[in-house]
């Protein structure tokens, strides 16, 4: 077992919620191989301090678990707070539980079926992210996370893009049409806008035009996103003031390279 993972997880306490017997025993046994400790939480009263990191270092949550007479849907218990969590479920869970998984800090999602090595890696990653955040918050002159508004009416695209951004420590705000994107941009002044070309109420080109015509948002960096690469659309996007143009499907490396280039300070270029 990788020494870094073992050192990171040894002695750490994890709450397990919503798992059936075989899976929870497997998770506990996997944690035990690196000195981690798993605690099964079967009812809310038995864990009154679940939201406190003083009680557990992190949680394993079954996103597929339904509510019972003793306990609400497990994933909803972590939604209001910032408890570090490794959420396990299906792709449908990822889409339907998008807000709890992708829009909050300190979350990792694992698709079934998964390897035990991946389980430990995600647990290590979420704990190390929390540690880095705590150190940064204590450091003088630390910088806030950059905020990105993602405007797309396709849920799958939103999940994919926001998960990539979260992994690279960006704050992500999801909207589903161009009109809402323009409103959010004027209210919160994000560091970057990712606008899908095809959206209801106001498409990406119209939203870009509205942003560039407003004094408060005319310098906001904008990357247009499209499901197909059409030369005329690319030219139109740049002529309206887009900073870049990305075509689906793209991988995380390409997306982050384009984002980092657009957000690079002028003196660094």
């Amino acid at each position: 077992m990788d020494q870094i993972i073992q050192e990171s997880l040894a002695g750490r306490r994890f709450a397990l919620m919503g798992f059936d017997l075989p899976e929870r025993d497997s998770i506990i046994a996997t944690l035990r191989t690196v000195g981690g400790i798993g605690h099964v939480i079967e009812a809310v009263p038995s864990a009154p301090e679940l939201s406190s990191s003083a009680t557990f270092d992190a949680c394993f949550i079954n996103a597929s678990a339904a509510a019972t007479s003793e306990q609400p849907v497990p994933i909803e218990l972590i939604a209001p707070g910032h408890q570090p969590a490794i959420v396990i479920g299906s792709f449908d869970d990822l889409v339907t539980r998008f807000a709890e998984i992708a829009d909050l800090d300190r979350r990792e999602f694992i698709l079934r079926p998964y390897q035990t090595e991946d389980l430990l890696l995600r647990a290590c990653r979420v704990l190390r992210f929390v540690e880095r955040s705590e150190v940064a918050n204590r450091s003088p002159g630390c910088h806030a996370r950059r905020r990105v508004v993602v405007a797309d009416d396709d849920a799958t695209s939103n999940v994919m893009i926001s998960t990539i951004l979260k992994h690279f420590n960006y704050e992500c705000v999801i909207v589903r049409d161009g009109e809402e994107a323009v409103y959010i941009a004027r209210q919160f002044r994000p560091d970057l806008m990712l606008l899908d070309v095809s959206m209801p109420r106001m498409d990406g080109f119209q939203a870009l035009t509205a942003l560039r015509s407003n004094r408060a948002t005319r310098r906001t960096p904008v990357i247009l996103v499209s499901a197909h690469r059409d030369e005329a659309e690319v030219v139109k996007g740049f002529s309206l003031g887009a900073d870049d143009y990305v075509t689906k499907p793209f991988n995380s490396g390409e997306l982050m390279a384009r984002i980092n280039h657009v957000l690079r300070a002028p003196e660094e270029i």
Side-chain angles (χ1 to χ4, degrees), residues 28-217:
I28 291 173
T30 299
L31 290 171
R32 194 177 296 132
T33 63
V34 293
I37 306 165
H39 298 267
V40 177
I41 305 301
E42 297 180 341
V44 174
S46 67
E49 300 296 325
L50 182 60
S51 63
S52 170
S53 58
T55 304
F56 299 106
D57 294 292
C59 302
F60 280 93
I61 305 292
N62 181 9
S64 306
T68 67
S69 58
E70 296 181 328
Q71 181 175 293
V73 178
I75 196 170
E76 293 180 355
L77 296 176
I78 64 169
H82 294 282
Q83 180 72 11
I86 302 92
V87 182
I88 301 175
S90 66
F91 182 77
D92 287 342
D93 294 325
L94 179 60
V95 173
T96 58
R97 292 296 179 183
F98 174 68
E100 294 93 334
I101 298 166
D103 276 1
L104 299 180
D105 293 337
R106 310 179 184 204
R107 302 287 189 264
E108 286 286 335
F109 186 82
I110 302 177
L111 281 172
R112 292 189 180 96
Y114 53 86
Q115 300 293 321
T116 55
E117 292 82 1
D118 190 31
L119 197 82
L120 297 175
L121 178 62
R122 299 303 184 93
C124 178
R125 182 183 296 168
V126 75
L127 291 178
R128 289 175 72 86
F129 175 81
V130 172
E131 291 169 356
R132 289 196 301 270
S133 297
E134 290 174 349
V135 170
N137 290 335
R138 292 194 298 267
S139 301
C142 62
H143 298 284
R145 294 166 63 197
R146 282 178 159 174
R147 176 179 294 169
V148 179
V149 172
V150 178
D152 198 322
D153 62 327
D154 181 68
T156 302
S157 294
N158 285 334
V159 169
M160 179 182 66
I161 295 174
S162 62
T163 301
I164 293 171
L165 290 169
K166 177 195 166 188
H167 176 76
F168 287 94
N169 202 28
Y170 283 82
E171 180 183 350
C172 186
V173 179
I174 300 296
V175 298
R176 290 175 172 78
D177 62 68
E179 188 173 302
E180 188 179 4
V182 172
Y183 172 80
I184 292 294
R186 291 173 179 173
Q187 293 295 313
F188 298 104
R189 309 291 179 83
D191 298 286
L192 175 69
M193 306 282 292
L194 290 175
L195 302 178
D196 188 63
V197 169
S198 301
M199 290 187 292
R201 295 212 292 178
M202 182 184 286
D203 65 28
F205 296 126
Q206 293 170 323
L208 175 59
T209 300
L211 292 170
R212 291 292 179 255
S213 63
N214 185 277
R215 183 173 183 178
T217 59

